[in-house]
Amino acid sequence: MGEACLASGFAAVDLTVRTDGHVQPTLVATNLPLMLAGIRSTGAICDQIGNNIAPSSDPTDTSWIANQFVNEIVSAAGANGITKYRWYNSGGPSFPSNTFGQTMTTQLDGFRVNMRRLAAINAQAANVCGVAHTHSGNLGTSVYDIAYAMQGIDPSLIGINLAIGHTADAAVGVMWQLEMRRAMPLIKGTALQDLKGTINATTGALSTSTVQSTGAAGTGGGIINWATFFSLLRLGGYSGPAEAQIEYSITGANGTSVSLNSAFFADNAQFTSGNLTPAIMTASMKIESDFYRQRALAGGWTAAQII
């Protein structure tokens, strides 16, 4: 993994510690140190993990802490040099269409109670911050909701992981820029993902899909102005990771489309057919890393600031 990371032009690995990831939560104490040792032996950085920790919006519910192995994951992370972990808000407020006003606010207030419990667990570990991954479709569609729920919580313990693709999906145009600026003191991580907008010729409805971040003259494959994005990070005083989310599809060696937002074993038909190879995957990710570095430079960052 470390070798593939460096060959792709990236400096760091965001290791998945979840049931569908590289390290199973039940085995985190044993397997996380082994995975980290292997990755770091190549010179690649690995100080961040992603998991499926999802605090409940019910302030009386603490079962998620044990069910999701929160203490085990955070403790092992802190003991092995992990400084950040991404967590998801799928257990938080969902804001169904029949909720309005105070009902929605009450959900956020209840969610804050469990966010405080998560912050307390983080405080017991060594220098670990849990960053809430913004995700369209639930809490996190707007960073304003997360910022409200985070009131009174130390942002060094609980922060925001701004997944700009998800945020821009719900706030096309300049709104995502306003959200970035407003939440900047709370943003401790970023996830990079571009979108393509398509208008239905019959209904006029706008739909979006993930695309590879590259295009003519380096403008990008989708709707996000990346020079503006990186400029806002710089002007806002951001210092932290910029993680590429490889969630788009490419055309493989056999001419068949394949999604890179999938986990394949070596015996998967995509590999055995030759449609997908490690070399193809590495080359595709190298396009992404080169593009983001170029756009960060265009946004005013110096080469020395971009690891």
Side-chain angles (χ1 to χ4, degrees):
M1 288 179 62
E3 291 169 351
C5 166
L6 297 176
S8 301
F10 293 102
V13 173
D14 183 352
L15 187 67
T16 51
V17 180
R18 57 195 188 200
T19 54
D20 55 351
H22 295 99
V23 176
Q24 299 298 308
T26 54
L27 302 174
V28 64
T30 301
N31 288 0
L32 180 60
L34 297 175
M35 290 291 290
L36 292 175
I39 293 169
R40 291 167 177 169
S41 72
T42 67
I45 299 167
C46 189
D47 58 10
Q48 177 170 308
I49 60 175
N51 55 53
N52 286 338
I53 291 174
S56 171
S57 61
D58 180 354
T60 66
D61 178 16
T62 60
S63 63
W64 59 275
I65 297 175
N67 294 342
Q68 299 170 19
F69 303 95
V70 176
N71 283 300
E72 292 85 350
I73 292 172
V74 175
S75 176
N80 288 280
I82 299 297
T83 59
K84 286 188 177 69
Y85 67 87
R86 289 181 298 120
W87 58 275
Y88 289 83
N89 44 60
S90 57
S94 59
F95 299 148
S97 59
N98 63 342
T99 56
F100 298 87
Q102 187 58 45
T103 300
M104 301 169 75
T105 301
T106 299
Q107 288 190 58
L108 292 172
D109 291 336
F111 191 53
R112 182 185 300 116
V113 174
N114 274 321
M115 289 178 71
R116 286 175 176 161
R117 290 180 174 126
L118 186 58
I121 293 172
N122 294 341
Q124 295 175 4
N127 191 33
V128 177
C129 178
V131 288
H133 191 71
T134 62
H135 199 289
S136 57
N138 50 28
L139 174 71
T141 299
S142 165
V143 297
Y144 295 114
D145 292 332
I146 295 182
Y148 174 83
M150 287 174 60
Q151 288 183 87
I153 299 175
D154 184 347
S156 70
L157 298 175
I158 296 287
I160 293 175
N161 192 62
L162 181 69
I164 188 58
H166 287 285
T167 299
D169 186 23
V172 180
V174 299
M175 189 62 199
W176 63 264
Q177 299 175 33
L178 295 174
E179 293 197 36
M180 277 186 70
R181 289 163 52 197
R182 180 66 181 87
M184 188 59 69
L186 305 177
I187 296 174
K188 303 301 179 182
T190 60
L192 313 179
Q193 178 184 12
D194 211 347
L195 303 169
K196 176 180 69 175
T198 303
I199 301 294
N200 185 298
T202 302
T203 66
L206 171 67
S207 62
T208 60
S209 58
T210 299
V211 293
Q212 190 175 31
S213 293
T214 182
T219 56
I223 64 176
I224 296 174
N225 185 319
W226 289 104
T228 297
F229 171 81
F230 283 111
S231 177
L232 289 175
L233 288 179
R234 177 180 58 84
L235 295 172
Y238 177 78
S239 177
E243 172 207 11
Q245 297 218 293
I246 312 296
E247 298 186 352
Y248 51 83
S249 295
I250 62 172
T251 300
N254 299 339
T256 303
S257 177
V258 54
S259 171
L260 297 185
N261 189 26
S262 303
F264 296 135
F265 287 101
D267 60 355
N268 185 276
Q270 291 288 356
F271 285 128
T272 57
S273 68
N275 191 52
L276 188 62
T277 67
I280 291 173
M281 295 175 69
T282 299
S284 181
M285 291 188 287
K286 184 68 163 56
I287 291 171
E288 288 271 295
S289 63
D290 287 348
F291 173 81
Y292 288 131
R293 289 176 184 277
Q294 177 197 53
R295 292 292 85 195
L297 290 170
W301 293 81
T302 66
Q305 292 174 310
I306 306 170
I307 298 177

